[in-house]
Amino acid sequence: MLYPRVGRSRSVLSLDGLWTFCLDDGTHDERLDEDFIRANGEVMSVPASYNDQKDDIRYREHYGWAYYERSVTIPACYAGQRLFLRFDAVTHAAVVYINGKEVCRHKGGFLPFTVELEGIAEAGDSFTLSVAVDNRVSHSTLPVGNEDGTAFFGSDNAGVPSVEAAKRWRKKRNLPNFDFFNYAGLNRSVRLCSTPKDYIEDITLVPSVDGKDGLVRYSVSTVGEGQVGIEILSREGEVVARGEGSEGEIRIADAHLWNPWPEDPYLYTARVSFAEDVYCEPFGIRTVEVRGHEFLINGKPFYFKGFGKHEDSAIHGRGLDLAYDVRDMSLIRWLGANSFRTSHYPYAEEMYQLADEQGVVIIDETPAVGIGGSPVDPYTTFDIRKHHEDVIRDLIARDKNHPSVVMWSMANEPDTEHFPESARDYWVSLYHYTHSLDPQDRPVTFVCCQNNYEVDLATREMDVVCINRYYGWYNLSGDMEAAVYALNLELDFWQKIDKPLIMTEYGADTLPGHHLTVPEMFSEEFQVMYYDLIDQAFDKRPFVVGEHPWNFADFNTIQGVYRADGNRKGLLTRDRKPKLAAHYFRKRWHDIPNFGYKK
Ligand code: GCB
């Protein structure tokens, strides 16, 4: 899906700003009740999550539907154009209404969808745009939520004798099977877009390298009558190659490759024209390949230095915050990092654009976090397979041309231990499905939970073994000698599998400003010692091709006994101030080259 860009033939009108908003009282669900919204409506900022914009617990704890509304006028000068609305992310499900009439439904909170206005509204019209938004997570959503009765209720310390008794007094609530706050709402931008009636629908670019030249295989899908032309522009805007027709291959002589910073992340632009329509898509020429236990970018063995992140900031919640994104990119460079994982959902498109421009490598993850956590086999009982396929398809459709994206992560920490055969069948078939959809055929993986790795049959089938491990924190807590021993035992196991391995999470909650001479858990000194000892184990193993400490910054979570003001495993605080560990990694990573670190 093309990003909405203004151009000679296209316009984009932002519908961000102040909307009318109200929470459902549990009686309407997705049904729009204008009287109810009129009586209860108040102001809410878009894009942003609604949870932290008001000083009222109802917004934090809401369970179910909420409504956004605003009026829209389509400028008369858009006459004769194709018009559509684009929602970049509505979390987690949306029903869109125009003048009270349903025009679209969408499931999934982290990927864009559009509403064509043909036959609904035209240039010069004014209408009321309403969006009903559902924040519920369950066994049929991604991310996954626990269902009533499968977690917490009836547990030993609930203080009530049975699940039935608990259900009688406890109101329904979200029970996320994931460790980040379930922020919801119009989290990303809403826009009114126009294109000519005959238009470019999609562009797919597949780069490769032939000696000193770059090759770009392309295909353009269009609607209406016209001829496709394509020009490749250099960074300076000069035409360096051309093609004609809706698909083909273009040679770029003496090409500049896209490389992670501090090398040059060189971007070309494909200027595609079709009838009156013109669209400019930036792209890079680079290759990605797994060979033996190496991860190659442009044929050279790459070492991932970075972290899992979150889209998370004060007040905005999970809402788009471009200033934070720019700052985070600056901090990534300050730290000497070269990569991050979009844990645990696809991020806003603007973040990938920044990564392309600044040469930061992305492991692109779907929102499939929390598949498991119940006593039954999730693969045969959760209603997620079809939705998971849809999400992978839409993720690849959105992000396929980004040079920064070098691998797809189908999920974070699914259960692979309790139902190992079932897990293997699910993940191996989804792995083939993902490969079949990606025109660039990037490596595919999922990220494995701390488990009995000898029993797990799925993780070893992936192109890259990605493991989250908390030796010394959740297990062997504080005992770093035992932790390093156990980690090395596990690394011995993976060494025999002989695939590249990335430690996609490891970390320790740390309270900034808590200093000790003898490092114990939660102190800044412990966090540094923990990373230092574990990193030494990675340095001895050529097949370990990356280290992603958890997390880039502290982030908000559901309240609970394990979380004091959220998850505190950040190298940075939530407002991006460095802990000691940030200085530790800054020193370590500036000394580790992108390529050839493991000889
Ligand atoms: C994990 C999860 C991550 C959590 C982290 C933690 O394994 O993947 O979402 O935040 O552990 O800190 O517990």
Side-chain angles (χ1 to χ4, degrees), residues 543-565:
F543 72 97
V544 177
V545 300
E547 55 193 56
H548 275 185
W550 185 255
N551 182 285
F552 173 72
D554 292 347
F555 59 90
N556 204 229
T557 64
I558 196 171
Q559 56 182 327
V561 289
Y562 283 105
R563 297 285 173 257
D565 192 23

Side-chain angles (χ1 to χ4, degrees), residues 178-180 310 341 344 369 412-413 447 449-450 468 470 473-474 505 509 550 555 557 563 567 569:
F178 48 87
D179 179 40
F180 50 91
H310 266 300
R341 174 169 60 115
H344 297 307
V369 50
N412 182 66
E413 298 199 342
V447 169
C449 188
Q450 180 122 30
N468 296 348
Y470 288 92
W473 188 255
Y474 289 121
E505 283 183 27
D509 286 84
W550 185 255
F555 59 90
T557 64
R563 297 285 173 257
N567 188 309
K569 294 192 186 69

Side-chain angles (χ1 to χ4, degrees), residues 30-42:
E30 75 260 44
R31 191 168 50 82
L32 201 64
D33 179 341
E34 289 296 351
D35 294 337
F36 178 76
I37 296 175
R38 216 166 292 124
N40 297 287
E42 49 187 328

Side-chain angles (χ1 to χ4, degrees), residues 306-569:
F307 6 72
K309 278 182 97 282
H310 266 300
E311 290 185 316
D312 174 272
S313 64
I315 304 169
H316 289 240
R318 187 141 294 114
L320 177 75
D321 190 327
L322 290 178
Y324 259 90
D325 288 347
V326 169
R327 180 67 193 266
D328 286 1
M329 281 295 171
S330 160
L331 283 163
I332 286 171
R333 288 191 169 198
W334 180 83
L335 282 156
N338 59 16
S339 54
F340 65 90
R341 174 169 60 115
T342 67
S343 43
H344 297 307
Y345 38 80
Y347 290 0
E349 287 147 286
E350 292 80 2
M351 193 59 172
Y352 299 74
Q353 293 165 7
L354 281 168
D356 289 348
E357 277 164 21
Q358 309 222 350
V360 174
V361 162
I362 292 180
I363 300 172
D364 204 358
E365 187 158 282
T366 78
V369 50
I371 301 177
S374 86
V376 293
D377 178 350
Y379 303 105
T380 52
T381 57
F382 290 13
D383 182 19
I384 45 164
R385 175 68 193 222
K386 159 88 176 52
H387 181 45
H388 204 164
E389 288 182 3
D390 290 349
V391 161
I392 290 174
R393 184 199 59 219
D394 292 352
L395 175 70
I396 294 176
R398 191 192 72 160
D399 294 344
K400 60 182 184 242
N401 292 335
H402 288 291
S404 55
V405 174
V406 300
M407 179 156 65
W408 308 108
S409 164
M410 299 181 288
N412 182 66
E413 298 199 342
D415 185 335
T416 48
E417 183 180 8
H418 300 101
F419 310 94
E421 280 87 14
S422 221
R424 183 194 47 207
D425 294 350
Y426 187 91
W427 293 112
V428 170
S429 58
L430 213 55
Y431 162 95
H432 289 301
Y433 175 77
T434 308
H435 267 296
S436 74
L437 291 180
D438 179 14
Q440 294 191 11
D441 200 21
R442 296 162 175 91
V444 175
T445 192
F446 70 85
V447 169
C448 159
C449 188
Q450 180 122 30
N451 66 3
N452 182 342
Y453 41 89
E454 291 183 336
V455 170
D456 174 343
L457 301 172
T459 303
R460 66 188 71 172
E461 298 294 333
M462 299 297 114
D463 293 324
V464 176
V465 171
C466 290
I467 58 173
N468 296 348
R469 295 297 182 263
Y470 288 92
Y471 295 110
W473 188 255
Y474 289 121
N475 56 332
L476 304 169
S477 311
D479 184 349
M480 287 312 296
E481 211 176 304
V484 169
Y485 174 78
L487 171 67
N488 274 308
L489 271 189
E490 173 161 7
L491 292 178
D492 288 345
F493 171 86
W494 290 114
Q495 194 153 328
K496 289 194 211 95
I497 303 287
D498 201 32
K499 291 197 168 180
L501 178 144
I502 301 174
M503 186 67 109
T504 29
E505 283 183 27
Y506 60 123
D509 286 84
T510 303
L511 302 175
H514 177 44
H515 291 289
L516 293 174
T517 53
V518 179
E520 287 201 339
M521 294 171 78
F522 292 101
S523 68
E524 297 216 32
E525 285 74 12
F526 180 85
Q527 195 184 23
V528 170
M529 177 184 75
Y530 168 98
Y531 281 127
D532 186 28
L533 291 173
I534 292 180
D535 292 345
Q536 287 177 34
F538 300 158
D539 284 342
K540 294 190 195 114
R541 313 262 181 174
F543 72 97
V544 177
V545 300
E547 55 193 56
H548 275 185
W550 185 255
N551 182 285
F552 173 72
D554 292 347
F555 59 90
N556 204 229
T557 64
I558 196 171
Q559 56 182 327
V561 289
Y562 283 105
R563 297 285 173 257
D565 192 23
N567 188 309
R568 312 300 292 274
K569 294 192 186 69

Side-chain angles (χ1 to χ4, degrees), residues 209 257-260 285-289 296-300 595:
V209 176
L257 300 190
W258 184 94
N259 267 301
I285 298 175
R286 60 102 190 83
T287 59
V288 178
E289 187 193 343
L296 308 178
I297 296 183
N298 295 332
K300 298 174 288 182
F595 296 109

